[in-house]
Amino acid sequence: MAHAHESNTKRIWIVFGILSFITIVEVYLGILKPAALHLQGMGTSWLNWIFIILTLAKAYGIAWVFMHLEGEKKWLRRTIVWSAVFLISYLVTLFLFEGSYIFDTLSPLVKW
Amino acid sequence: MEANIAVPTDKKDIWNGGGGKPFGASYGKMMMWYFILSDALTFSGFLAAYGLTRFKFIDTWPIADEVFTHVPFVHGDFPMIYVAIMTFILIFSSVTMVLAVDAGHQMKKNKVAWYMFATIIGGIIFVGSQAWEWNTFIKGSYGAVKTTEGKLLQFVKDGKQIALADFVIGNRTDGRVQHTKKNGLWFEEEGTIANYSVAQVIQAYNANPEIQVRTELIDLDKKQKTILSREAGAAMLARTDRVVEGANLEENEYGNTIFADAFFFITGFHGFHVVSGIAINIIIFFNVILGTYEKRGHYEMVEKVGLYWHFVDLVWVFVFTFFYLV
Protein backbone atom coordinates (compact mmCIF):
# COMPACT_ATOMS: atom_id res chain seq x y z
CA MET A 1 0.00 0.00 0.00
CA ALA A 2 1.12 3.45 -0.88
CA HIS A 3 0.13 5.29 2.29
CA ALA A 4 0.77 2.50 4.71
CA HIS A 5 1.70 4.52 7.75
CA GLU A 6 -0.16 7.76 7.57
CA SER A 7 -3.51 8.15 9.24
CA ASN A 8 -6.60 8.50 7.09
CA THR A 9 -9.01 9.07 9.96
CA LYS A 10 -10.37 12.36 8.70
CA ARG A 11 -11.06 10.98 5.23
CA ILE A 12 -12.83 7.94 6.70
CA TRP A 13 -15.23 10.17 8.63
CA ILE A 14 -15.90 12.30 5.57
CA VAL A 15 -16.77 9.20 3.55
CA PHE A 16 -18.98 7.99 6.39
CA GLY A 17 -20.76 11.35 6.27
CA ILE A 18 -21.31 11.02 2.52
CA LEU A 19 -22.60 7.44 2.78
CA SER A 20 -24.98 8.41 5.59
CA PHE A 21 -26.21 11.41 3.65
CA ILE A 22 -26.91 9.24 0.60
CA THR A 23 -28.82 6.77 2.76
CA ILE A 24 -30.90 9.57 4.27
CA VAL A 25 -31.72 10.90 0.80
CA GLU A 26 -32.72 7.40 -0.32
CA VAL A 27 -34.99 6.81 2.64
CA TYR A 28 -36.49 10.29 2.36
CA LEU A 29 -37.31 9.77 -1.32
CA GLY A 30 -38.50 6.23 -0.61
CA ILE A 31 -41.01 7.43 1.98
CA LEU A 32 -42.10 10.54 0.12
CA LYS A 33 -42.26 8.98 -3.36
CA PRO A 34 -42.82 12.24 -5.28
CA ALA A 35 -45.34 11.49 -8.05
CA ALA A 36 -43.25 13.17 -10.77
CA LEU A 37 -40.37 10.77 -10.07
CA HIS A 38 -42.36 7.74 -9.00
CA LEU A 39 -44.91 7.52 -11.79
CA GLN A 40 -42.77 8.55 -14.76
CA GLY A 41 -39.48 7.40 -16.09
CA MET A 42 -37.51 5.68 -18.77
CA GLY A 43 -37.68 1.89 -18.62
CA THR A 44 -38.33 2.06 -14.91
CA SER A 45 -39.33 5.09 -12.81
CA TRP A 46 -36.91 8.00 -12.34
CA LEU A 47 -37.00 7.21 -8.65
CA ASN A 48 -35.64 3.72 -9.30
CA TRP A 49 -32.87 5.18 -11.45
CA ILE A 50 -31.95 7.55 -8.63
CA PHE A 51 -31.88 4.68 -6.14
CA ILE A 52 -29.69 2.52 -8.38
CA ILE A 53 -27.23 5.33 -9.12
CA LEU A 54 -26.99 6.31 -5.44
CA THR A 55 -26.43 2.65 -4.55
CA LEU A 56 -23.58 2.38 -7.03
CA ALA A 57 -22.12 5.59 -5.57
CA LYS A 58 -22.26 4.05 -2.09
CA ALA A 59 -20.69 0.84 -3.38
CA TYR A 60 -17.89 2.90 -4.91
CA GLY A 61 -17.28 4.68 -1.61
CA ILE A 62 -17.14 1.44 0.34
CA ALA A 63 -14.93 -0.40 -2.14
CA TRP A 64 -12.52 2.45 -2.90
CA VAL A 65 -12.05 3.98 0.53
CA PHE A 66 -13.11 1.43 3.15
CA MET A 67 -11.78 -1.60 1.29
CA HIS A 68 -8.90 0.53 0.10
CA LEU A 69 -9.08 -0.44 -3.56
CA GLU A 70 -7.73 3.02 -4.41
CA GLY A 71 -4.40 2.07 -2.84
CA GLU A 72 -4.01 -1.27 -4.59
CA LYS A 73 -2.05 -1.84 -7.78
CA LYS A 74 -4.07 -0.89 -10.84
CA TRP A 75 -4.26 -4.41 -12.26
CA LEU A 76 -5.24 -6.07 -8.99
CA ARG A 77 -8.09 -3.58 -8.85
CA ARG A 78 -9.02 -4.34 -12.44
CA THR A 79 -9.06 -8.13 -12.01
CA ILE A 80 -11.60 -7.61 -9.24
CA VAL A 81 -13.73 -4.74 -10.51
CA TRP A 82 -13.83 -5.63 -14.19
CA SER A 83 -14.64 -9.30 -13.53
CA ALA A 84 -17.49 -8.33 -11.25
CA VAL A 85 -18.85 -5.54 -13.44
CA PHE A 86 -18.85 -7.52 -16.70
CA LEU A 87 -20.21 -10.76 -15.28
CA ILE A 88 -22.88 -9.11 -13.16
CA SER A 89 -24.15 -6.81 -15.91
CA TYR A 90 -24.32 -9.80 -18.28
CA LEU A 91 -26.22 -11.91 -15.76
CA VAL A 92 -28.62 -9.15 -14.74
CA THR A 93 -29.36 -8.18 -18.35
CA LEU A 94 -30.23 -11.74 -19.35
CA PHE A 95 -32.29 -12.41 -16.23
CA LEU A 96 -34.32 -9.24 -16.45
CA PHE A 97 -35.06 -9.73 -20.15
CA GLU A 98 -36.10 -13.29 -19.40
CA GLY A 99 -38.27 -12.11 -16.51
CA SER A 100 -40.20 -9.62 -18.62
CA TYR A 101 -40.57 -12.20 -21.38
CA ILE A 102 -42.17 -14.62 -18.92
CA PHE A 103 -44.44 -11.84 -17.72
CA ASP A 104 -45.52 -10.97 -21.26
CA THR A 105 -46.23 -14.62 -21.96
CA LEU A 106 -47.95 -15.68 -18.76
CA SER A 107 -49.77 -12.61 -17.46
CA PRO A 108 -52.45 -12.61 -20.22
CA LEU A 109 -53.43 -16.05 -18.92
CA VAL A 110 -54.24 -14.73 -15.45
CA LYS A 111 -57.67 -13.17 -15.05
CA TRP A 112 -58.16 -10.58 -12.31
CA MET B 1 14.01 -22.39 -23.66
CA GLU B 2 14.74 -21.72 -20.06
CA ALA B 3 11.51 -19.76 -19.71
CA ASN B 4 9.57 -23.02 -20.08
CA ILE B 5 11.42 -25.03 -17.46
CA ALA B 6 9.53 -25.54 -14.18
CA VAL B 7 12.49 -25.05 -11.89
CA PRO B 8 12.43 -22.18 -9.40
CA THR B 9 14.84 -19.62 -10.66
CA ASP B 10 14.14 -16.14 -9.34
CA LYS B 11 11.62 -17.33 -6.72
CA LYS B 12 8.73 -15.54 -8.42
CA ASP B 13 6.83 -18.82 -8.80
CA ILE B 14 6.81 -19.80 -5.16
CA TRP B 15 4.77 -16.81 -4.05
CA ASN B 16 4.36 -16.74 -0.31
CA GLY B 17 7.39 -18.93 0.43
CA GLY B 18 9.52 -16.58 -1.55
CA GLY B 19 9.49 -12.84 -1.69
CA GLY B 20 7.37 -12.57 -4.81
CA LYS B 21 4.20 -10.52 -4.53
CA PRO B 22 2.07 -10.46 -7.67
CA PHE B 23 0.21 -7.14 -7.94
CA GLY B 24 2.05 -6.04 -4.82
CA ALA B 25 -0.44 -7.89 -2.63
CA SER B 26 0.27 -10.65 -0.14
CA TYR B 27 -1.13 -14.12 -0.78
CA GLY B 28 -3.77 -13.80 1.96
CA LYS B 29 -5.02 -10.42 0.90
CA MET B 30 -5.28 -11.35 -2.75
CA MET B 31 -7.13 -14.57 -1.99
CA MET B 32 -9.51 -12.68 0.30
CA TRP B 33 -10.20 -10.35 -2.61
CA TYR B 34 -10.89 -13.22 -4.99
CA PHE B 35 -13.07 -14.95 -2.43
CA ILE B 36 -15.02 -11.71 -2.10
CA LEU B 37 -15.31 -11.54 -5.89
CA SER B 38 -16.78 -15.05 -6.06
CA ASP B 39 -19.08 -14.36 -3.13
CA ALA B 40 -20.21 -11.15 -4.83
CA LEU B 41 -21.12 -13.21 -7.88
CA THR B 42 -23.15 -15.59 -5.69
CA PHE B 43 -25.08 -12.69 -4.21
CA SER B 44 -25.58 -11.22 -7.67
CA GLY B 45 -27.03 -14.55 -8.73
CA PHE B 46 -29.57 -14.35 -5.91
CA LEU B 47 -30.43 -10.72 -6.51
CA ALA B 48 -30.69 -11.25 -10.27
CA ALA B 49 -32.99 -14.23 -9.66
CA TYR B 50 -35.02 -11.98 -7.39
CA GLY B 51 -35.16 -9.47 -10.24
CA LEU B 52 -36.31 -12.12 -12.70
CA THR B 53 -39.08 -13.27 -10.37
CA ARG B 54 -40.15 -9.75 -9.69
CA PHE B 55 -40.30 -8.95 -13.42
CA LYS B 56 -42.26 -12.15 -13.91
CA PHE B 57 -44.89 -10.92 -11.40
CA ILE B 58 -44.39 -7.22 -12.04
CA ASP B 59 -48.12 -6.45 -11.92
CA THR B 60 -48.75 -8.15 -8.57
CA TRP B 61 -45.48 -7.90 -6.59
CA PRO B 62 -45.90 -6.75 -2.97
CA ILE B 63 -45.02 -3.09 -2.33
CA ALA B 64 -42.11 -3.13 0.12
CA ASP B 65 -43.10 -0.13 2.19
CA GLU B 66 -46.50 -1.68 2.84
CA VAL B 67 -44.75 -4.80 4.16
CA PHE B 68 -41.90 -3.45 6.29
CA THR B 69 -43.57 -0.82 8.39
CA HIS B 70 -42.66 -1.68 11.96
CA VAL B 71 -40.16 -0.25 14.40
CA PRO B 72 -39.45 -1.98 17.73
CA PHE B 73 -41.11 -0.49 20.84
CA VAL B 74 -43.11 1.96 18.71
CA HIS B 75 -46.64 1.59 17.47
CA GLY B 76 -47.70 2.87 14.11
CA ASP B 77 -46.79 2.88 10.48
CA PHE B 78 -43.16 3.78 9.68
CA PRO B 79 -42.17 2.39 6.32
CA MET B 80 -38.46 1.74 5.92
CA ILE B 81 -37.31 3.64 9.01
CA TYR B 82 -36.09 0.50 10.74
CA VAL B 83 -34.18 -0.88 7.74
CA ALA B 84 -32.58 2.54 7.37
CA ILE B 85 -31.44 2.35 11.00
CA MET B 86 -30.04 -1.12 10.34
CA THR B 87 -28.18 0.24 7.32
CA PHE B 88 -26.66 2.97 9.48
CA ILE B 89 -25.57 0.44 12.09
CA LEU B 90 -23.82 -1.65 9.45
CA ILE B 91 -22.16 1.33 7.77
CA PHE B 92 -21.04 2.58 11.16
CA SER B 93 -19.55 -0.80 12.06
CA SER B 94 -17.74 -0.62 8.73
CA VAL B 95 -16.29 2.71 9.82
CA THR B 96 -15.05 1.33 13.13
CA MET B 97 -13.53 -1.57 11.20
CA VAL B 98 -11.65 0.73 8.85
CA LEU B 99 -10.51 2.77 11.85
CA ALA B 100 -9.15 -0.46 13.37
CA VAL B 101 -7.21 -1.13 10.18
CA ASP B 102 -5.93 2.44 10.24
CA ALA B 103 -4.82 2.09 13.88
CA GLY B 104 -3.14 -1.18 12.91
CA HIS B 105 -1.00 0.62 10.37
CA GLN B 106 0.24 2.80 13.20
CA MET B 107 0.79 -0.26 15.42
CA LYS B 108 -1.54 1.02 18.13
CA LYS B 109 -2.64 -2.22 19.74
CA ASN B 110 -5.21 -0.82 22.19
CA LYS B 111 -6.87 1.32 19.58
CA VAL B 112 -7.14 -1.65 17.22
CA ALA B 113 -8.70 -3.74 19.99
CA TRP B 114 -11.27 -1.11 20.90
CA TYR B 115 -12.30 -0.47 17.31
CA MET B 116 -12.57 -4.22 16.68
CA PHE B 117 -14.75 -4.48 19.77
CA ALA B 118 -17.04 -1.71 18.50
CA THR B 119 -17.26 -3.47 15.14
CA ILE B 120 -18.31 -6.72 16.80
CA ILE B 121 -20.96 -4.93 18.86
CA GLY B 122 -22.30 -3.23 15.72
CA GLY B 123 -22.49 -6.59 13.97
CA ILE B 124 -24.36 -8.17 16.86
CA ILE B 125 -26.86 -5.31 16.95
CA PHE B 126 -27.39 -5.72 13.22
CA VAL B 127 -28.01 -9.47 13.44
CA GLY B 128 -30.37 -8.87 16.37
CA SER B 129 -32.29 -6.34 14.29
CA GLN B 130 -32.44 -8.80 11.44
CA ALA B 131 -33.86 -11.45 13.78
CA TRP B 132 -36.49 -8.99 14.97
CA GLU B 133 -37.32 -8.14 11.38
CA TRP B 134 -37.74 -11.82 10.53
CA ASN B 135 -39.90 -12.38 13.58
CA THR B 136 -42.20 -9.51 12.63
CA PHE B 137 -42.35 -10.72 9.05
CA ILE B 138 -43.15 -14.32 10.02
CA LYS B 139 -45.82 -13.34 12.54
CA GLY B 140 -47.43 -10.87 10.16
CA SER B 141 -49.63 -8.03 11.29
CA TYR B 142 -52.77 -7.96 9.15
CA GLY B 143 -53.76 -11.36 7.86
CA ALA B 144 -55.36 -12.05 4.50
CA VAL B 145 -57.47 -14.61 2.68
CA LYS B 146 -56.54 -16.65 -0.33
CA THR B 147 -58.72 -17.76 -3.22
CA THR B 148 -58.71 -21.31 -4.52
CA GLU B 149 -56.49 -20.28 -7.44
CA GLY B 150 -53.97 -18.67 -5.09
CA LYS B 151 -54.83 -14.98 -5.27
CA LEU B 152 -54.36 -13.09 -2.07
CA LEU B 153 -56.99 -10.66 -0.78
CA GLN B 154 -56.32 -8.07 1.91
CA PHE B 155 -58.77 -5.79 3.67
CA VAL B 156 -58.80 -2.01 3.71
CA LYS B 157 -60.81 0.65 5.46
CA ASP B 158 -60.66 4.20 4.06
CA GLY B 159 -57.81 3.08 1.80
CA LYS B 160 -55.63 1.84 4.67
CA GLN B 161 -55.01 -1.83 5.31
CA ILE B 162 -56.63 -3.21 8.44
CA ALA B 163 -56.04 -6.44 10.31
CA LEU B 164 -58.52 -9.31 10.39
CA ALA B 165 -58.59 -8.90 14.15
CA ASP B 166 -59.88 -5.34 13.70
CA PHE B 167 -63.19 -6.39 12.19
CA VAL B 168 -63.68 -10.12 12.71
CA ILE B 169 -65.28 -10.65 16.10
CA GLY B 170 -64.55 -13.45 18.52
CA ASN B 171 -62.50 -16.60 18.26
CA ARG B 172 -62.54 -19.19 15.55
CA THR B 173 -65.99 -20.72 15.54
CA ASP B 174 -65.87 -23.67 13.20
CA GLY B 175 -64.19 -25.94 15.74
CA ARG B 176 -61.25 -26.66 13.43
CA VAL B 177 -58.50 -28.49 15.31
CA GLN B 178 -54.83 -28.38 14.38
CA HIS B 179 -53.75 -31.62 12.77
CA THR B 180 -50.83 -33.06 14.72
CA LYS B 181 -49.20 -36.47 14.67
CA LYS B 182 -51.18 -37.37 17.79
CA ASN B 183 -54.72 -36.65 16.65
CA GLY B 184 -54.64 -37.60 12.98
CA LEU B 185 -52.45 -39.43 10.56
CA TRP B 186 -49.35 -40.33 12.54
CA PHE B 187 -47.02 -39.40 9.67
CA GLU B 188 -48.49 -35.98 8.94
CA GLU B 189 -48.99 -32.71 10.73
CA GLU B 190 -49.85 -29.14 9.83
CA GLY B 191 -48.71 -25.74 11.00
CA THR B 192 -50.58 -23.41 13.31
CA ILE B 193 -54.11 -22.92 12.03
CA ALA B 194 -55.45 -19.43 11.43
CA ASN B 195 -57.33 -17.56 14.15
CA TYR B 196 -60.45 -17.26 12.01
CA SER B 197 -62.30 -19.37 9.49
CA VAL B 198 -63.08 -18.12 5.99
CA ALA B 199 -66.81 -18.12 6.77
CA GLN B 200 -66.24 -15.84 9.75
CA VAL B 201 -64.21 -13.40 7.64
CA ILE B 202 -66.89 -13.29 4.94
CA GLN B 203 -69.60 -12.78 7.56
CA ALA B 204 -67.64 -9.91 9.12
CA TYR B 205 -67.06 -8.39 5.67
CA ASN B 206 -70.79 -8.46 4.96
CA ALA B 207 -71.54 -6.90 8.34
CA ASN B 208 -69.11 -3.97 7.89
CA PRO B 209 -70.06 -1.88 4.85
CA GLU B 210 -66.99 0.38 5.16
CA ILE B 211 -64.53 -2.47 4.60
CA GLN B 212 -63.25 -3.18 1.12
CA VAL B 213 -61.16 -5.91 -0.47
CA ARG B 214 -57.75 -5.13 -1.89
CA THR B 215 -56.26 -7.42 -4.54
CA GLU B 216 -52.62 -7.96 -5.43
CA LEU B 217 -53.04 -6.36 -8.84
CA ILE B 218 -51.13 -3.09 -9.12
CA ASP B 219 -52.80 -0.12 -10.77
CA LEU B 220 -49.89 0.99 -12.97
CA ASP B 221 -51.07 4.59 -13.23
CA LYS B 222 -50.96 5.08 -9.48
CA LYS B 223 -48.57 2.25 -8.55
CA GLN B 224 -50.96 1.14 -5.87
CA LYS B 225 -52.82 -2.08 -5.27
CA THR B 226 -56.33 -2.24 -6.71
CA ILE B 227 -59.20 -1.83 -4.25
CA LEU B 228 -62.41 -3.58 -5.30
CA SER B 229 -65.94 -2.32 -4.94
CA ARG B 230 -68.10 -3.93 -2.25
CA GLU B 231 -69.87 -6.20 -4.80
CA ALA B 232 -66.71 -7.24 -6.64
CA GLY B 233 -65.07 -7.85 -3.26
CA ALA B 234 -67.91 -10.12 -2.15
CA ALA B 235 -67.64 -12.05 -5.43
CA MET B 236 -63.89 -12.53 -4.90
CA LEU B 237 -64.39 -13.55 -1.26
CA ALA B 238 -66.81 -16.26 -2.36
CA ARG B 239 -63.87 -17.95 -4.08
CA THR B 240 -61.60 -18.01 -1.03
CA ASP B 241 -60.74 -21.18 0.79
CA ARG B 242 -58.23 -20.24 3.48
CA VAL B 243 -57.05 -17.55 5.84
CA VAL B 244 -53.35 -16.66 5.73
CA GLU B 245 -51.66 -15.11 8.75
CA GLY B 246 -47.98 -14.26 8.68
CA ALA B 247 -45.44 -15.77 6.38
CA ASN B 248 -43.67 -19.05 5.76
CA LEU B 249 -42.10 -20.73 2.76
CA GLU B 250 -45.46 -21.89 1.40
CA GLU B 251 -47.68 -18.86 1.75
CA ASN B 252 -47.62 -15.36 3.15
CA GLU B 253 -50.08 -12.59 3.85
CA TYR B 254 -48.11 -10.05 1.78
CA GLY B 255 -48.73 -11.50 -1.68
CA ASN B 256 -46.69 -13.76 -3.94
CA THR B 257 -45.34 -16.84 -2.18
CA ILE B 258 -41.94 -16.36 -3.74
CA PHE B 259 -41.66 -12.86 -2.28
CA ALA B 260 -41.31 -14.30 1.21
CA ASP B 261 -39.08 -17.11 -0.07
CA ALA B 262 -36.70 -14.58 -1.61
CA PHE B 263 -36.82 -12.49 1.56
CA PHE B 264 -35.86 -15.45 3.74
CA PHE B 265 -33.25 -16.67 1.31
CA ILE B 266 -31.46 -13.42 0.50
CA THR B 267 -31.57 -11.71 3.89
CA GLY B 268 -30.89 -15.09 5.49
CA PHE B 269 -27.80 -15.66 3.38
CA HIS B 270 -26.65 -12.15 4.16
CA GLY B 271 -27.36 -12.64 7.87
CA PHE B 272 -25.31 -15.84 7.74
CA HIS B 273 -22.43 -13.81 6.32
CA VAL B 274 -22.78 -11.28 9.13
CA VAL B 275 -22.74 -14.05 11.73
CA SER B 276 -19.61 -15.62 10.27
CA GLY B 277 -18.08 -12.15 9.99
CA ILE B 278 -18.73 -11.58 13.70
CA ALA B 279 -17.15 -14.95 14.53
CA ILE B 280 -14.03 -14.15 12.51
CA ASN B 281 -13.87 -10.66 14.02
CA ILE B 282 -14.03 -12.15 17.53
CA ILE B 283 -11.13 -14.50 16.76
CA ILE B 284 -9.05 -11.65 15.37
CA PHE B 285 -10.06 -9.44 18.32
CA PHE B 286 -8.60 -11.97 20.76
CA ASN B 287 -5.48 -12.31 18.64
CA VAL B 288 -5.05 -8.56 18.82
CA ILE B 289 -5.43 -8.59 22.60
CA LEU B 290 -2.98 -11.48 22.92
CA GLY B 291 -0.46 -9.47 20.93
CA THR B 292 -0.16 -11.93 18.06
CA TYR B 293 0.07 -9.20 15.46
CA GLU B 294 2.26 -7.01 17.65
CA LYS B 295 4.80 -9.85 17.64
CA ARG B 296 4.30 -10.47 13.93
CA GLY B 297 5.14 -6.86 13.27
CA HIS B 298 2.06 -5.96 11.23
CA TYR B 299 -1.71 -5.98 11.47
CA GLU B 300 -2.49 -7.25 7.98
CA MET B 301 -4.82 -9.90 9.39
CA VAL B 302 -7.07 -7.11 10.68
CA GLU B 303 -7.05 -5.65 7.21
CA LYS B 304 -8.08 -8.98 5.65
CA VAL B 305 -11.03 -9.59 7.98
CA GLY B 306 -11.82 -5.93 7.46
CA LEU B 307 -12.20 -6.60 3.74
CA TYR B 308 -14.70 -9.36 4.48
CA TRP B 309 -16.61 -7.14 6.89
CA HIS B 310 -16.83 -4.28 4.40
CA PHE B 311 -18.01 -6.74 1.80
CA VAL B 312 -20.90 -7.74 4.07
CA ASP B 313 -21.77 -4.06 4.34
CA LEU B 314 -21.47 -3.67 0.57
CA VAL B 315 -23.90 -6.51 -0.04
CA TRP B 316 -26.36 -5.00 2.42
CA VAL B 317 -26.31 -1.74 0.48
CA PHE B 318 -27.56 -3.66 -2.56
CA VAL B 319 -30.06 -5.79 -0.63
CA PHE B 320 -31.41 -2.60 0.94
CA THR B 321 -31.91 -1.00 -2.46
CA PHE B 322 -33.37 -3.94 -4.32
CA PHE B 323 -35.50 -5.35 -1.54
CA TYR B 324 -36.73 -2.28 0.25
CA LEU B 325 -36.40 0.74 -2.01
CA VAL B 326 -36.86 -0.07 -5.68
Side-chain angles (χ1 to χ4, degrees):
Chain A
M1 261 187 307
H3 318 283
H5 296 287
E6 65 190 62
S7 178
N8 286 314
T9 319
K10 199 179 161 203
R11 181 130 188 279
I12 293 164
W13 285 111
I14 290 172
V15 172
F16 172 66
I18 295 170
L19 295 179
S20 306
F21 178 71
I22 292 177
T23 309
I24 291 169
V25 170
E26 282 181 334
V27 172
Y28 180 74
L29 285 176
I31 294 173
L32 217 63
K33 287 192 174 169
L37 296 174
H38 187 50
L39 302 178
Q40 285 153 38
M42 206 179 63
T44 180
S45 67
W46 295 125
L47 202 58
N48 284 359
W49 281 116
I50 293 173
F51 289 148
I52 290 166
I53 290 165
L54 289 180
T55 301
L56 292 175
K58 273 206 276 190
Y60 175 83
I62 292 170
W64 251 249
V65 181
F66 288 179
M67 297 172 96
H68 211 269
L69 267 184
E70 60 187 355
E72 303 298 343
K73 284 260 171 67
K74 190 194 270 176
W75 278 101
L76 174 63
R77 196 162 65 216
R78 286 180 176 177
T79 59
I80 297 157
V81 178
W82 288 6
S83 312
V85 167
F86 288 135
L87 289 173
I88 293 170
S89 4
Y90 178 60
L91 181 80
V92 168
T93 310
L94 288 188
F95 270 36
L96 295 188
F97 270 107
E98 186 65 20
S100 31
Y101 169 76
I102 301 173
F103 172 73
D104 291 341
T105 315
L106 294 185
S107 68
L109 307 175
V110 181
K111 196 167 154 275
W112 278 96
Chain B
M1 289 301 283
E2 263 151 32
N4 296 325
I5 299 169
V7 173
T9 47
D10 53 1
K11 288 195 170 178
K12 269 194 178 146
D13 44 356
I14 43 178
W15 210 341
N16 207 29
K21 281 188 169 185
F23 297 135
S26 71
Y27 179 83
K29 189 154 121 184
M30 183 185 273
M31 289 306 135
M32 178 53 90
W33 263 114
Y34 291 152
F35 164 70
I36 286 173
L37 175 62
S38 70
D39 217 16
L41 293 174
T42 310
F43 270 109
S44 323
F46 291 157
L47 281 174
Y50 171 83
L52 186 149
T53 326
R54 185 169 175 173
F55 272 40
K56 179 177 168 184
F57 298 113
I58 196 77
D59 59 344
T60 56
W61 200 250
I63 297 169
D65 45 336
E66 289 173 0
V67 177
F68 306 101
T69 57
H70 297 284
V71 176
F73 314 117
V74 188
H75 278 283
D77 202 32
F78 305 103
M80 280 189 312
I81 297 290
Y82 191 52
V83 233
I85 295 170
M86 282 166 64
T87 308
F88 275 118
I89 292 167
L90 207 56
I91 291 180
F92 191 74
S93 82
S94 235
V95 170
T96 54
M97 186 77 235
V98 80
L99 289 171
V101 175
D102 194 69
H105 287 151
Q106 300 158 48
M107 300 300 287
K108 291 178 180 161
K109 183 180 150 187
N110 285 335
K111 251 183 147 180
V112 178
W114 277 111
Y115 282 132
M116 287 292 294
F117 182 71
T119 308
I120 293 164
I121 298 297
I124 290 171
I125 296 174
F126 180 85
V127 173
S129 311
Q130 190 71 274
W132 186 88
E133 180 100 339
W134 269 49
N135 186 37
T136 315
F137 187 82
I138 291 169
K139 270 203 280 188
S141 34
Y142 295 109
V145 288
K146 212 170 192 183
T147 66
T148 44
E149 70 264 38
K151 286 171 186 152
L152 197 93
L153 307 175
Q154 297 167 331
F155 295 92
V156 293
K157 189 178 182 180
D158 309 324
K160 288 210 73 161
Q161 191 176 2
I162 59 165
L164 293 180
D166 293 341
F167 69 100
V168 183
I169 302 149
N171 294 322
R172 188 163 182 138
T173 49
D174 64 350
R176 177 79 159 66
V177 176
Q178 187 180 353
H179 179 179
T180 63
K181 283 177 180 169
K182 281 183 181 157
N183 64 4
L185 296 172
W186 58 271
F187 53 86
E188 269 179 21
E189 60 186 338
E190 67 175 0
T192 319
I193 55 169
N195 285 320
Y196 311 105
S197 66
V198 172
Q200 261 179 302
V201 174
I202 294 176
Q203 197 193 9
Y205 174 81
N206 291 333
N208 291 280
E210 69 274 23
I211 287 170
Q212 285 175 296
V213 167
R214 187 168 76 175
T215 69
E216 292 174 69
L217 192 66
I218 294 172
D219 178 354
L220 285 178
D221 293 330
K222 287 184 284 185
K223 293 210 177 157
Q224 278 164 6
K225 301 277 180 179
T226 315
I227 296 173
L228 298 178
S229 68
R230 283 286 296 173
E231 297 73 36
M236 274 296 243
L237 280 177
R239 285 157 43 201
T240 56
D241 69 342
R242 61 188 184 281
V243 174
V244 183
E245 286 169 332
N248 55 45
L249 289 173
E250 278 150 27
E251 56 187 9
N252 68 76
E253 62 167 60
Y254 311 105
N256 287 297
T257 302
I258 203 163
F259 172 77
D261 297 350
F263 174 79
F264 291 131
F265 203 68
I266 295 176
T267 63
F269 195 60
H270 177 264
F272 171 69
H273 274 75
V274 180
V275 169
S276 49
I278 293 170
I280 298 167
N281 276 348
I282 289 173
I283 295 168
I284 301 303
F285 171 69
F286 281 115
N287 276 346
V288 170
I289 290 185
L290 293 172
T292 310
Y293 308 123
E294 200 71 32
K295 276 178 231 148
R296 195 175 286 175
H298 59 81
Y299 280 85
E300 202 192 60
M301 208 62 209
V302 177
E303 201 177 325
K304 283 183 269 194
V305 297
L307 285 178
Y308 182 69
W309 191 253
H310 297 313
F311 170 68
V312 168
D313 180 27
L314 187 66
V315 169
W316 181 254
V317 165
F318 283 91
V319 172
F320 174 63
T321 302
F322 292 112
F323 233 95
Y324 296 92
L325 283 177
V326 167

